[in-house]
Amino acid sequence: MQVFKLSQAELDSMIRHFGSLGMVYTPAAGKQPSARTDCAPGWQPADGAPLALATGPSATSVKTFFFPQPETMQTFSVKNNYPDRGLLREPETLTEKQIVVGLRPCDARSVLLNNLPYREDPYYQANMARTVLVGFTCDAMCSTCFCDRMGGSPMATEGLDIAVSRLDHGFAAEILTARGEELLAGLKLTPAGISELDELAGRRQAAPQADAAGLDALKERDLNRLYEAPLWQQLGESCINCGACTFVCPTCYCFDVQDEVVRGTGRRIRYWDSCMFPLYSLHTSGHNPRGQKMQRTRNRFMHKLKYFPDRFGPFSCVGCGRCVKDCPVNIDIREVMGDLLTVE
Amino acid sequence: MTNQTSETSKTSQTNWEPKIIAFLCNWCSYAGADLAGVSRFQYPPNIRIVRVPCSGRVSANILLSALKSGADGVLVSGCHPGDCHYISGNYFARRRFALLNNLLDFVGIEPGRVHFSWVSASEGEQFAEVVKKVTDKVKTLGPATRLVKSIDTVQAA
Amino acid sequence: MPTINEQLTEEIRVQARKLLADKTVAAVIGYTAGSLPMTVKPAVIRAADDCGRLVWNSFCVLNLANYLPEVLKSVEPPRGPRDPKPTGPLPKVAVMATGCWSRNIVVQIQEHQVERERVVVMAIGSRGMVSRRKVEAHFSGREILAVTELDHELVVKGADFTETVNRWSMVRDNCQTCTHPDPVLVDVRIGAPAADRKNPNPFKQVEMIEARSTDERWAWFSAEFSSCIRCYACRNACPLCYCPTCFVDDARPQWVGKSLDATDTGLFHVLRAYHCAGRCTDCGACESVCPMGINMRMLTKKLNKDVLNLYGIEAGMQPDTPLPLTTYKPDDPQQFIVNEPGSAKEGA
C-alpha cells in the first residue's frame, strides 16, 4: 500500500485529473440550483471547484451509484411493424468508469455489506466493476453518527479504493486497491514521509474504534422473543410509513421491477422499493402479510438487526445516522437498539 | 435505441403536425363532433377523440396522462353549463378544470397546451371552430416537451 | 419564571391527565421529547401516568390530525370486518391542535373520516413553529448539538459556539404568514388564544413565482423537484392523504411511473398537490418532513390562493359548508373556457 501526501491544491488537481478517466461525482452542497438529469439527488458531477465536505455523511448515500434509480434490465419494442416485437434485449452493460469522490467510511462499508446479498447479481456487480470510490475519512463525528457502534470506524478504509485523510498540514492519500492505483497513474505525487505516516497512524489510533462488546450483546439477544414486544406497537403508532429512512439508508437495497412502455418502446426497470410501503408486501390475492403499519416498522428493524445478520453475519446498518436525522417522527435506531437490549 | 430516433427528431421535421387528444362528453360534445362530420364542416385532422360519459369524468390523472404519453395538446369538452345529462357533472368539472388549468400554468406548462370548451350536440359548426382554434394554438407552441415521459434519455447514476 | 412553552407543557399534562383519569378519552395524541435538538416524537398516550412525557415547544411541525382517524379506530372495541358497528357511544380521543391542525380536523369531519363527537380538541394558539432547516442553514456547516427555547429567542449550542437567534426569524414561512393561528375547534383551551399575525400577506411567495415568465416557472419547477427521492414523506405526513391506495400505486392504468424520471416526479407532485385542492390548510407538514428540503408547499399554496379568489373558501373554516370541489355555483368563473365570450384564450 502506498501513501501520498497532498496539499489542498494537489488534492483539487488530483480530482480534476480523475475527470479525464471517467465521470466524477461529489456530494452536492445544498439544493440543486437547476434541474439535472445527469446525476442522482444529493450528488453532482465534479465541477473543478475545491471540494468542501461537511462533517458527517453526504445527504444521500452512495447506493445510488450501485442501484441506479432506475436500472434498465431489458429493453423491448411493442410496435407492430417491428420484426423483434416483444423480444427482450439486454442493454449494453455500462462500462464507463464512475469515480465517486467524497464519500465517508460508513458509505464505503455499506457497499461491501450490500455485496453480500448481491454477490451474484450481474447489475450490482457491473456497477461495482465500474465504480471507483475515493473516500474521505472523518476527523470529526456528528452527534447522529454511530459507525463505531456498528462495527465501523470514522477512520476506516474498508471498501474504499483511495482513502484521503486530513493531516495537520494537508492530506494523506492511501492507495488501497489496484483500481485506486490506476486512477493515480501518471500523476506525480509526493510519497508520505515518516512523520506523515506516524501522524496518520496516530489519528487512526485516536479515533473511536469498533465497539465489539455492544454488538455482541445485541447479536446474542434472542430478538425473535421480542417479536410481540409492546415497543413495536409504540414505534409503529408514531411511524407515518413514509420511505425516507429506507431511501436515505445506504444498506436498504430492496427493489421492485416493472415494465414501462412509452410510445411503443419499452424497458424493464428495477427501481427502489421500501418495506415501509403497503404495496411492498401486498399479494396478488389481496392479502397483505404486513398489512399493519406496526408490522412494517418492525420488519425494517428486524431485517437490519436480526434477519440480515442471521444470514450474512454483520448487521445491515453502518451507523451513518441519516435515518435518525431525516425521520419525520424522530424514530431513532439507536434508541431502538437500546430498547431491544433492555426490554424483557 | 434506434427505434426512438423518429420520435425524438420530430421537432426538426418541418411538416410536423400536432397530436391533440380530445376528451368529449358522450351527450353533447361527442354528438357535436358527429354533427360536424355529418354536416361536412371541415376541421383539422389533428384531434384523437376519446369519448367519456361526462366532462366530470375527466380527472387530472387522465388529463395529465395524455400529456405524459406525448399529446401535444389536450382538449376537454362537455355540455354547456345547465345542460349536463347528469344535471351537474360539468359544474363540478368546471371548478376542477379552473384550478388545474391555473396549476399547470403555475408550474410552467405553456398556456395553450390544455383547453376546455363547452359544445352542445347541435353545435357542429362551433365544434369545428374550437378544433381549429385549438390546433392553431398548439401548432404555434410546437411539440410538447414538458411533463412528457420519454425513456430514451441517458441513464444517469 | 417558566417560559410560555413550559407553561403550555404543564397545562397540557394536567389536562391530558384529567381527561384520561376520568375516562373522558381513551387516548391523547401529543408530542414527547425527541432524541435530537429541534425534534419531537409524536406519541399516543393511553395512561394518565404517562402524561408527564408530553411536551410542547416550537418544533412540533408534524400535523397531529394525521394520526386521528387511525387512533380513533384503535380505541374502538375489536370487531371483524363484517361485524356491525357497536351501538352506543364509542371511546373518544383527545388531540392537541393549533389553528391549521384544527382546520384539518374540520376537513376530516367534512369528509367523514372523523366523528366530531369522538374528538376532544385540546386547542393551542400557535405562535408559529420553527423550521429546523432554517436554523441549520443559519449555522451552515456547524453542527447544532442543543437548542434551548426561550420565549422569543433560541439559544443554539454547538461544539465550540453558543449563539442566540431571534425565534421569529426562524419560524416556518407558512407560520409567519398564517392567517388563522388560533384553533377553530375548542374543547379544552390550553394557554391564551393566539394573536393574529401582523400583516401576514399569505400569498407573497406564490405571487413572486406567478410574476415570472412561463419558461422561468418551468425552470423553477424542474429544479425544485429534481432532488425528490420519491420517499413519499410529504404524502404520508399529510392529514389529507388517507386513500387506501394512493394514485402513485395504481398499476393499471399507471398514472405516474415509479422511478426518478423527471416527468414522473413532476407529475407526482402536481397530482399530489392537486388532490389537496380546497382541502389544504397550509400546515406545512409536507415541507417540514422532506429529507431533501423541497418546497412542495408552493403548489398547494397556489391552489389555496385560487380556491380563495375564485370560490371564496378557505379549507376548514366553515364546518357546515361543503368543500369547494364537492359543490358548485351556476355562475362560477369560467374565463378559461376556450369558446366562452371574454375567455382569456379568445383570439389567441
Side-chain angles (χ1 to χ4, degrees):
Chain A
M1 188 187 77
Q2 271 183 300
V3 183
F4 295 106
K5 80 174 181 197
L6 301 167
S7 65
Q8 177 77 48
E10 283 170 320
L11 178 68
D12 294 333
S13 73
M14 180 177 91
I15 296 170
R16 274 196 296 276
H17 166 73
F18 295 159
S20 63
L21 304 170
M23 278 304 293
V24 183
Y25 298 98
T26 58
K31 229 156 132 178
Q32 299 175 353
S34 63
R36 60 181 350 144
T37 51
D38 56 345
C39 209
W43 295 86
Q44 62 186 17
D47 52 5
L51 186 65
L53 290 178
T55 310
S58 50
T60 56
S61 88
V62 77
K63 76 172 170 183
T64 189
F65 297 99
F66 298 90
F67 303 108
Q69 194 29 335
E71 170 118 50
T72 306
M73 305 168 83
Q74 258 113 27
T75 60
F76 55 92
S77 170
V78 292
K79 285 180 183 165
N80 279 327
N81 51 356
Y82 264 71
D84 59 350
R85 180 177 193 273
L87 219 65
L88 289 172
R89 293 194 176 280
E90 297 274 337
E92 253 175 73
T93 311
L94 291 174
T95 50
E96 197 204 356
K97 208 170 253 172
Q98 53 183 10
I99 301 152
V100 184
V101 179
L103 73 157
R104 296 296 190 183
C106 47
D107 271 16
R109 190 156 167 265
S110 77
V111 179
L112 298 182
L113 289 182
N114 293 343
N115 192 40
L116 296 172
Y118 281 85
R119 62 187 177 274
E120 286 170 33
D121 180 88
Y123 309 99
Y124 190 82
Q125 293 307 322
N127 288 326
M128 285 274 276
R130 76 190 189 98
T131 310
V132 189
L133 299 175
V134 181
F136 279 60
T137 59
C138 302
D139 36 40
M141 282 169 84
C142 286
S143 63
T144 47
C145 291
F146 57 105
C147 54
D148 49 335
R149 283 179 60 190
M150 300 315 299
S153 154
M155 287 293 286
T157 59
E158 210 184 348
L160 290 171
D161 296 301
I162 298 176
V164 181
S165 304
R166 186 179 286 282
L167 299 178
D168 287 340
H169 303 286
F171 298 88
E174 299 168 78
I175 317 306
L176 301 154
T177 64
R179 291 195 304 172
E181 222 166 288
E182 267 170 48
L183 278 196
L184 299 184
L187 273 190
K188 271 211 191 85
L189 294 173
T190 327
I194 300 286
S195 65
E196 282 94 12
L197 288 176
D198 279 351
E199 194 192 334
L200 185 62
R203 278 172 180 259
R204 190 152 284 150
Q205 200 118 45
Q209 302 298 317
D211 166 27
L215 282 174
D216 290 347
L218 192 55
K219 262 199 194 138
E220 278 158 21
R221 248 349 239 168
D222 180 12
L223 294 186
N224 282 346
R225 213 170 45 79
L226 299 174
Y227 197 69
E228 303 291 351
L231 84 115
W232 299 121
Q233 198 63 47
Q234 284 158 20
L235 277 180
E237 209 152 44
S238 66
C239 177
I240 58 171
N241 260 202
C242 69
C245 52
T246 53
F247 283 6
V248 297
C249 175
T251 58
C252 271
Y253 49 66
C254 286
F255 63 84
D256 198 357
V257 173
Q258 72 169 47
D259 289 355
E260 275 188 345
V261 180
V262 176
R263 297 185 287 283
T265 305
R267 60 173 181 181
R268 178 161 295 173
I269 55 164
R270 171 158 107 172
Y271 57 92
W272 298 2
D273 202 355
S274 165
C275 56
M276 291 291 128
F277 301 154
L279 203 65
Y280 176 90
S281 50
L282 183 67
H283 293 187
T284 313
S285 66
H287 171 65
N288 195 339
R290 288 202 285 272
Q292 290 168 18
K293 235 167 56 162
M294 175 276 273
Q295 296 169 324
R296 297 193 282 275
T297 315
R298 176 175 61 194
N299 178 71
R300 179 163 187 271
F301 292 110
M302 287 297 271
H303 178 262
K304 294 214 167 295
L305 306 174
K306 171 78 185 151
Y307 311 146
F308 189 94
D310 277 359
R311 183 118 184 252
F312 298 109
F315 290 114
S316 176
C317 172
V318 292
C320 68
R322 287 188 183 94
C323 59
V324 180
K325 248 186 267 182
D326 288 335
C327 177
V329 297
N330 188 228
I331 291 176
D332 190 329
I333 189 170
R334 298 170 300 177
E335 292 179 347
V336 177
M337 291 193 295
D339 288 350
L340 286 174
L341 276 174
T342 50
V343 90
E344 274 315 317
Chain B
M1 275 179 277
T2 47
N3 50 358
Q4 278 292 299
T5 42
S6 62
E7 290 283 343
T8 45
S9 65
K10 69 179 179 183
T11 350
S12 59
Q13 290 168 10
T14 45
N15 56 349
W16 168 76
E17 286 290 335
K19 279 184 190 160
I20 298 166
I21 305 286
F23 296 100
L24 306 183
C25 94
N26 181 46
W27 306 97
C28 291
S29 297
Y30 190 81
D34 199 24
L35 183 65
V38 171
S39 325
R40 311 223 165 196
F41 290 119
Q42 272 215 338
Y43 60 82
N46 300 77
I47 66 162
R48 314 284 193 275
I49 294 175
V50 179
R51 182 161 64 155
V52 291
C54 175
S55 51
R57 173 67 186 88
V58 181
S59 63
N61 292 7
I62 289 177
L63 200 152
L64 290 174
S65 273
L67 281 183
K68 173 185 144 192
S69 312
D72 299 304
V74 178
L75 168 67
V76 184
S77 189
C79 310
H80 284 278
D83 295 350
C84 179
H85 183 78
Y86 306 100
I87 310 201
S88 56
N90 56 357
Y91 282 129
F92 290 111
R94 184 167 61 182
R95 284 204 166 187
R96 287 197 258 124
F97 294 153
L99 295 177
L100 183 62
N101 196 37
N102 288 355
L103 182 63
L104 290 180
D105 183 54
F106 187 70
V107 302
I109 303 299
E110 308 92 329
R113 283 274 173 229
V114 181
H115 296 263
F116 305 92
S117 67
W118 308 135
V119 174
S120 79
S122 62
E123 294 179 325
E125 196 174 356
Q126 283 84 341
F127 180 78
E129 271 305 304
V130 166
V131 174
K132 259 181 233 154
K133 205 187 268 181
V134 169
T135 309
D136 286 348
K137 181 68 198 171
V138 174
K139 268 190 183 162
T140 61
L141 290 175
T145 54
R146 296 174 184 178
L147 291 185
V148 179
K149 173 125 180 180
S150 107
I151 57 175
D152 51 358
T153 47
V154 181
Q155 191 181 346
Chain C
M1 173 80 186
T3 64
I4 297 173
N5 284 327
E6 282 164 2
Q7 290 170 33
L8 289 175
T9 299
E10 194 42 47
E11 217 173 306
I12 287 169
R13 288 176 182 171
V14 169
Q15 294 289 357
R17 207 172 281 135
K18 205 168 116 215
L19 288 169
L20 283 167
D22 64 15
K23 302 230 174 345
T24 313
V25 299
V28 176
I29 310 174
Y31 276 111
T32 59
S35 71
L36 302 178
M38 299 184 282
T39 62
V40 283
K41 286 183 205 290
V44 183
I45 306 284
R46 292 166 201 275
D49 295 344
D50 269 356
C51 289
R53 289 167 56 211
L54 288 166
V55 296
W56 187 259
N57 55 39
S58 287
F59 308 110
C60 304
V61 291
L62 200 76
N63 190 334
L64 290 180
N66 198 13
Y67 294 98
L68 193 53
E70 213 172 305
V71 176
L72 280 170
K73 199 170 278 170
S74 78
V75 298
E76 286 173 16
R79 64 176 201 265
R82 299 221 173 108
D83 296 346
K85 214 176 155 187
T87 49
L90 288 164
K92 294 184 185 187
V93 168
V95 57
M96 323 278 147
T98 61
C100 46
W101 307 354
S102 75
R103 288 166 62 198
N104 275 112
I105 297 171
V106 170
V107 173
Q108 287 173 329
I109 294 165
Q110 286 173 311
E111 294 179 349
H112 309 291
Q113 298 301 307
V114 164
E115 290 163 83
R116 177 68 185 94
E117 311 77 64
R118 291 186 61 198
V119 183
V120 175
V121 178
M122 300 173 73
I124 308 169
S126 170
R127 299 173 61 235
M129 296 299 168
V130 165
S131 159
R132 199 172 137 196
R133 228 163 247 288
K134 270 194 191 177
V135 180
E136 281 165 357
H138 184 81
F139 293 91
S140 68
R142 294 183 287 171
E143 204 197 359
I144 295 165
L145 298 178
V147 176
T148 321
E149 194 185 347
L150 306 174
D151 281 349
H152 302 288
E153 286 99 27
L154 301 175
V155 183
V156 181
K157 283 197 187 80
D160 51 2
F161 67 93
T162 303
E163 246 181 75
T164 305
V165 290
N166 178 272
R167 192 194 80 97
W168 185 251
S169 67
M170 296 295 154
V171 163
R172 298 185 296 175
D173 295 341
N174 62 311
C175 294
Q176 286 189 344
T177 60
C178 176
T179 45
H180 305 287
D182 206 52
V184 293
L185 301 177
V186 183
D187 295 323
V188 178
R189 169 64 79 176
I190 309 283
D196 279 346
R197 308 267 191 267
K198 284 176 210 144
N199 188 23
N201 185 12
F203 303 117
K204 195 173 153 201
Q205 287 173 304
V206 171
E207 280 158 9
M208 275 161 62
I209 295 169
E210 281 173 336
R212 300 177 191 169
S213 74
T214 300
D215 290 344
E216 285 167 348
R217 286 200 299 273
W218 176 251
W220 159 76
F221 175 76
S222 319
E224 187 69 44
F225 293 96
S226 68
S227 50
C228 176
I229 57 171
R230 297 292 290 273
C231 69
Y232 302 133
C234 47
R235 174 192 73 182
N236 287 29
C238 180
L240 303 171
C241 283
Y242 51 72
C243 294
T245 304
C246 178
F247 72 94
V248 294
D249 292 335
D250 280 339
R252 285 184 82 110
Q254 187 172 48
W255 307 113
V256 180
K258 294 273 192 174
S259 61
L260 291 192
D261 180 85
T263 299
D264 291 326
T265 307
L267 279 175
F268 161 63
H269 282 285
V270 169
L271 284 169
R272 186 198 74 84
Y274 184 69
H275 284 176
C276 302
R279 311 160 66 219
C280 173
T281 63
D282 200 27
C283 73
C286 48
E287 208 166 89
S288 301
V289 301
C290 178
M292 304 305 289
I294 298 168
N295 296 106
M296 72 283 287
R297 199 175 60 81
M298 282 303 101
L299 301 184
T300 43
K301 193 75 185 167
K302 161 71 182 163
L303 286 158
N304 288 358
K305 178 179 178 226
D306 286 347
V307 169
L308 183 62
N309 287 346
L310 294 172
Y311 312 119
I313 297 175
E314 279 184 285
M317 292 307 291
Q318 299 111 326
D320 308 321
T321 57
L323 290 155
L325 288 187
T326 62
T327 184
Y328 64 88
K329 282 194 189 128
D331 58 347
D332 277 335
Q334 55 171 10
Q335 287 82 10
F336 66 100
I337 301 288
V338 71
N339 59 342
E340 277 301 310
S343 82
K345 285 171 188 164
E346 185 85 352

